[in-house]
Amino acid sequence: MGARAPSGACTVIVGCQWGDEGKGKVVDVLAGDMDVIARYQGGANAGHTVHVGEHHIVLHQVPSGVLHPEKRCLLGNGVVLDVDQFFGELDGLAERGVDAGGRIGISTRAHVVFPYHKALDVAAEAAARRKIGTTGRGIGPAYEAKTGRRGVRIADLLDRARGADRVGRGIEWARERLRQLGADPDTAGTVEDSLALAHRLPAVATDVGDEIARALAAGKRVLLEGAQGTALDVDHGTYPYVTSSNTTAGGAAVGVGIGPTAIDSVVGVVKAYTTRVGNGPLPSAFDAGMDEHIRELGAEFGATTGRPRRCGWFDAVLAAYSSRVNGLTGIAVTKLDVLDTLPELKIATGYRIDGDAHSLFPACVRELERAEPVYETLPGWQSPTTEARAMSDLPPNARAYLHRIEELGGAPIVMVSVGTRRSQVIRGR
């Protein structure tokens, strides 16, 4: 037999709570060691915030690794692309001196979000008796069109006539649905508006799965970046208060077009506490006073919507569930420094539901709404951690807190973030 071709390493970064865990910073830190960074699901409803020097950059569609020169950045078939938002981001990055020309690729199999999807999103949320808390960015309707076989892909838009035909049919369908919802059908927009920036797509269209497979075969390192978090996964999250795609590690291979055996490691990102934006249960929620205090300390406002996030103690039931569902090989903990001033900390290690003890994260959202957390209390460290660059630099109680997260989360901690800047991170054990 001949010699085997060299193979690279493929790492997945996944959120293990309700999104907003700080995946953008983790990806930004790790991207320096990678050759290719690919986004595998979600759309412009997700915002990744990255701090580089004094610059505060929020990315909604472009992978976080774009801030590293010479890295190839891809959006996989699992993404739904808002063309206007995407090119607006690229143009904004160029104005900041970040030249992504030639480094960005979008799967020809990716579906597109159009104005009529956004109109449907807003109208459906307004008409719903049970509000989901959607961002109104059209993500849900775009995924619904995809599974209903009414979607429009990048490949369709590369042929102007075919694209215009499919978009026109989508607008007709949307107008009828808007009438049913009691909304103005004219908000669906026009074909011309929908295709305004389609002429820029040929320069970035590519076969993402083929690119990644060839990169790995050539010994290159690939990072797959998800949006939202495990508890928002359409199958494994707090349904129906979820997003419309698979946010978990299993969705990574599907979302970029490679086989699952190509993935070597999965790093799950958790905050040192828990947050949630939008509607749905949060079992370990703080009381009102502590909620406001941590929100101010941690600047807990949505990167996409600006909505205040609800805050709570670290939920180890969810962390253990996320570890299993994603097959974590490592954990990255963010915002440890936000807890620096607290005299004591709590970790939810179980739930009581209708008087019965539960150690597993429930599938039924109604059960989760009734869940009372069972807490374990640990002493705080009341000492700054922002200058720590090794585990040994952290106060003993901070190390003990992280060790407990590691035990309950079922995977080793491989990174700890202690501030917003790229340099404020501890890597390794």
Side-chain angles (χ1 to χ4, degrees), residues 30-330:
L30 294 179
D33 299 327
M34 301 291 167
D35 301 295
V36 179
I37 299 93
R39 172 96 172 265
Y40 63 83
Q41 51 76 225
N45 57 337
H48 286 181
T49 305
V50 180
H51 298 262
V52 182
E54 299 302 316
H55 295 291
H56 168 95
I57 299 174
V58 179
L59 300 171
H60 298 278
Q61 295 266 264
V62 177
S64 305
V66 74
L67 300 177
H68 289 264
E70 300 179 4
K71 307 297 179 181
R72 180 66 169 160
C73 296
L74 303 170
L75 281 80
N77 54 274
V79 169
V80 287
L81 184 78
D82 184 326
V83 176
D84 185 61
Q85 173 82 46
F86 172 74
F87 284 115
E89 273 185 43
L90 281 189
D91 293 342
L93 287 168
E95 291 173 2
R96 288 173 175 253
V98 179
D99 182 10
R103 295 196 291 120
I104 295 284
I106 305 171
S107 172
T108 51
R109 294 176 171 85
H111 281 247
V112 179
V113 179
F114 293 105
Y116 59 86
H117 293 128
K118 298 176 187 179
L120 286 167
D121 203 355
V122 173
E125 182 77 354
R129 293 172 59 188
R130 177 190 290 180
K131 309 295 183 185
I132 300 299
T134 174
T135 62
R137 300 297 182 99
I139 308 306
Y143 277 115
E144 183 182 355
K146 175 180 178 177
T147 56
R149 294 177 291 279
R150 299 186 311 274
V152 182
R153 305 194 298 176
I154 298 294
D156 298 317
L157 298 182
L158 298 182
D159 180 325
R160 178 81 183 187
R162 175 174 171 77
D165 177 65
R166 291 193 63 82
V167 171
R169 294 184 185 190
I171 290 174
E172 288 177 12
W173 189 93
R175 284 178 175 159
E176 179 57 32
R177 181 63 181 141
L178 287 167
R179 289 188 187 96
Q180 295 170 3
L181 292 168
D184 181 0
D186 289 339
T187 58
T190 66
V191 172
E192 292 72 21
D193 290 340
S194 296
L195 298 179
L197 293 175
H199 65 280
R200 297 182 66 176
L201 290 172
V204 293
T206 188
D207 186 326
V208 166
D210 180 64
E211 279 207 36
I212 291 176
R214 286 190 288 107
L216 291 172
K220 294 183 178 180
R221 295 158 295 184
V222 175
L223 188 67
L224 305 183
E225 171 187 9
Q228 290 99 21
T230 298
L232 294 176
D233 184 279
V234 68
D235 286 306
H236 302 291
T238 50
Y239 192 90
Y241 301 103
V242 293
T243 192
S244 300
S245 60
N246 288 114
T247 64
T248 42
V254 175
V256 297
I258 59 173
T261 53
I263 294 172
D264 299 286
S265 58
V266 181
V267 176
V269 185
V270 298
K271 274 181 187 164
Y273 48 102
T274 308
T275 64
R276 179 166 196 170
V277 68
N279 297 334
L282 181 65
S284 63
F286 292 134
D287 60 40
M290 179 63 84
D291 184 53
E292 183 176 356
H293 180 58
I294 296 297
R295 185 181 301 117
E296 292 300 321
L297 285 177
E300 294 295 352
F301 299 90
T304 299
T305 63
R307 291 182 294 183
R309 298 175 186 137
R310 291 176 285 154
C311 304
W313 298 111
F314 187 84
D315 190 333
V317 182
L318 174 57
Y321 173 71
S322 295
S323 182
R324 173 176 65 81
V325 168
N326 291 294
L328 297 187
T329 59

